[in-house]
Amino acid sequence: MNLPRISIVGGGIGGLSAALALQHHGYRVAMFEQARELREIGAGVIIAPNAMHALNFLGVGERVAKEAGPAEALVTRHFQTGAVLKIRAADYAERFGASYHQVHRVDLHAALASAVRCNDPDCVFVGHCFEALTQDSEQVVARFTNGKTFTSDVLIGCDGNASNVRACLFGDEAVNYTGQVAFRALVPMANVPDSIKDPPFAMFVGTNRYFLHYPLRHRTIMNVIAVGREPRWQGEGWRIPATVEEFANLYSDLYPPALQLIRAIFPGTLFKWGLRDREPLQQYCKGRVTMLGDAAHPMTPFLGQGACIAIEDAMVLGRAFAAARTFAQAFSMYENTRKERANGIQLASRRQADEIQGVTPRGANPGTDAMERGLYSYNPVTVPLTGAAEANSTVD
Ligand SMILES: Cc1cc2nc3c(=O)[nH]c(=O)nc-3n(C[C@H](O)[C@H](O)[C@H](O)COP(=O)(O)OP(=O)(O)OC[C@H]3O[C@@H](n4cnc5c(N)ncnc54)[C@H](O)[C@@H]3O)c2cc1C
């Protein structure tokens, strides 16, 4: 197809992956990020084989793997006694053809950002908070709160869970509070109790709560995440400062060495937020605009797949542009190839909350081998692109 001008709203993991995938196929992109600089929060993210296939193909997998260190086996433990309930071997590369890593988000984001800027040093525009768009049969015009506008042939919304692009396409939708509150922190390994260092990747499962820790950057930092039920919650955003005392009080019956890990969190480095969710969308594209990542299918963190699925989306979108004759065909191929998988994982992640937190019977042993195979054996670099009908891509 004639090379369209492509704008991307949002410079997170999804937006950067989309930029890189499109650049790989020869497209020029302009990316708009609301923050004053491209950056990520200090936290961990699991990058599973399904996403590593794409990162390897796009040339950043090696750097990400090297900075993260080797995959660790996941040990499921009893919430109160710490008894080992299950061990999941870390032989992902052998089973799925790509590796699995516990990654510092800053490292993944930096690897993607430097690859994108290396391809085109002038393609990132920070300090651009997307506000609204208009589109017709010729173009789409994005407007930003700094008063600037940008005109392109197509626009890709990668602006996360509270996507403004999505609101422009489909109007205001309900964002549901899931009744669950998460805590997160990073703890330098020197402060982690010895009895928690081995095994370093463990998930403590209990009724209505779970507590997870895994190491980052070659076991130099411990990432801590916990999620528990809390029917009453008012807060917005996911950087709400929390105190070690409130965290420890809510998890006071946790296996004592794990509770010690909570107490080792440095004041000012603990954050909490209420998990929010939306209903799956039946279409990701409207006219000259599409979305990917959390903007298209925000998901709870119980399968550790939100970022992986955003990377999968990006890889498939880039391939669809390369394979199609028109942008409308590309959008259609992208949506048809991705919707069932991404929406399915969005819903599976909801169900997984009940399993991990002992609300449904497999609580002590969450996750089946079949589910893991379904998630990790998908390869976005080779998955067939399906259907090129242009049904959803007519401009209103
Ligand atoms: C506790 C927790 C643990 C998780 N663990 C994992 C895991 O282990 N593995 C995994 O795969 N996933 C995990 N996830 C999910 C993952 O973090 C998200 O799915 C992923 O970050 C989505 O990427 P994104 O680029 O779509 O959105 P985001 O990361 O939200 O990025 C959106 C970007 O758009 C920008 N933006 C927003 N609005 C505007 C605007 N109006 N104008 C311009 N820019 C804008 C933002 O500043 C940001 O840079 C976890 C999530 C949570 C909450």
Side-chain angles (χ1 to χ4, degrees), residues 9-16 32-35 38-40 44-48 105 109 128-131 144 158-165 182-184 214 225 227 238 273 275 292-295 297-301 303-310:
V9 173
I13 292 166
L16 285 167
F32 300 93
E33 164 59 43
Q34 64 181 357
L38 275 189
R39 56 158 194 241
E40 251 293 351
V45 60
I46 286 170
I47 296 299
R105 295 177 84 102
H109 192 263
H128 279 65
C129 180
F130 169 84
E131 190 173 33
F144 301 92
C158 309
D159 49 344
N161 199 320
S163 171
N164 207 4
V165 172
F183 288 87
R184 68 175 164 85
Y214 58 80
I225 294 208
V227 182
W238 67 314
W273 72 105
L275 299 184
L292 60 71
D294 279 4
H297 39 66
M299 54 184 78
T300 55
L303 288 173
Q305 279 286 318
C308 294
I309 297 300

